Amino acid sequence: MSPIRLVSPEDSTALADLLVRNREFLAPWSPFRADGHETVEGQRSDIALVLDRHQRGEAAPFVILDDDGGVAGRLTLSGIVRGPFRSCAMGYWLSEDRTGRGLATRAVAAALGHAFDELGLHRVQAETLVHNTASQRVLARNGFLQYGLAPRYLEIARRWQDHLMFQRLRDDPPVAPIR
C-alpha cells in the first residue's frame, strides 16, 4: 500500500481532527492560519482549493497514510512549473503520534516518485526551519541536498524565520531503499 494518496473532500473530518489534536505540536513549524482552518468546513474549503489547483496541473495534494490506511498528515507538491524548469516545492506535516516510524520518509519517497515518474519533473525543492532537524533527516534519507540558506524566508509561528533550502534532482544518484 502506498503511504500517500490524493486528498479528497471525505478527508476533511480526519484532517480537522488531526490539526486540533496536534495544534501545539505543529505550531512551531506552521504559518499563521485564519480562524476556522482547523474545522471540518475549513478543511473542506482548503481541499476544494487545492484540488482545483490539482486540476489545473499546479499542485499534487496528498494525504499521508499510516500502516493501517488511516490519515496521518498531509503532503503537497505545489508551485508545479512546466517548460524548461520542470520543478515544484514539497511541503508536509505529520501527526505527532505517527512520527519516528519512517512514515514521513516513505511518504516523501512516494511523492518523489510521483513528481519524477508521473509528472515528469526535473527538480523537487523543500525548505525547513534551520532548527527542524527531524524534517532535515527525512529529506536526507530521500537524497535531498542542502543548497542554501534563505534569510527570513517564511513567516512561521508569526515570525519571519530563516530556512535551509534543499533539492532533489531527477538524475541524482539513487538512495538506499527505504524500509
Side-chain angles (χ1 to χ4, degrees):
M1 172 174 72
S2 176
I4 61 172
R5 69 163 166 74
L6 189 67
V7 69
S8 79
E10 290 76 30
D11 296 318
S12 58
T13 300
L15 288 167
D17 178 61
L18 285 176
L19 288 169
V20 169
R21 285 192 292 122
N22 288 275
R23 185 178 291 136
E24 287 184 37
F25 173 69
L26 295 172
W29 321 109
S30 300
F32 173 76
R33 304 285 188 186
D35 287 344
H37 175 74
E38 297 173 342
T39 66
V40 173
E41 188 53 44
Q43 286 304 293
R44 191 173 290 121
S45 176
D46 184 65
I47 291 167
L49 290 171
V50 76
L51 286 175
D52 184 53
R53 290 183 15 232
H54 175 67
Q55 286 296 324
R56 293 192 312 264
E58 300 168 358
F62 301 103
V63 287
I64 300 173
L65 304 172
D66 63 19
D67 294 333
D68 298 324
V71 175
R74 284 279 309 267
L75 184 151
T76 302
L77 302 175
S78 61
I80 296 172
V81 178
R82 304 293 180 174
F85 194 42
R86 290 194 311 265
S87 185
C88 74
M90 176 188 295
Y92 57 90
W93 61 266
L94 190 63
S95 179
E96 182 177 23
D97 64 343
R98 273 61 168 248
T99 62
R101 303 178 191 177
L103 189 53
T105 299
R106 292 190 304 273
V108 167
L112 283 171
H114 183 81
F116 296 144
D117 300 335
E118 303 299 318
L119 300 177
L121 300 180
H122 166 71
R123 179 178 177 272
V124 176
Q125 70 181 51
E127 297 80 27
T128 72
L129 288 163
V130 173
H131 57 280
N132 190 346
T133 56
S135 200
Q136 292 161 21
R137 283 191 302 270
V138 167
L139 296 174
R141 283 188 212 108
N142 278 286
F144 280 79
L145 299 175
Q146 182 186 338
Y147 70 93
L149 169 73
R152 298 176 304 284
Y153 182 68
L154 290 174
E155 187 178 17
I156 301 294
R158 296 189 176 234
R159 293 186 0 234
W160 290 99
Q161 297 195 47
D162 298 349
H163 281 65
L164 296 177
M165 303 178 77
F166 297 86
Q167 70 178 13
R168 173 75 195 270
L169 303 178
R170 177 186 189 100
D171 56 358
D172 280 346
V175 295
I178 298 165
R179 297 181 182 132

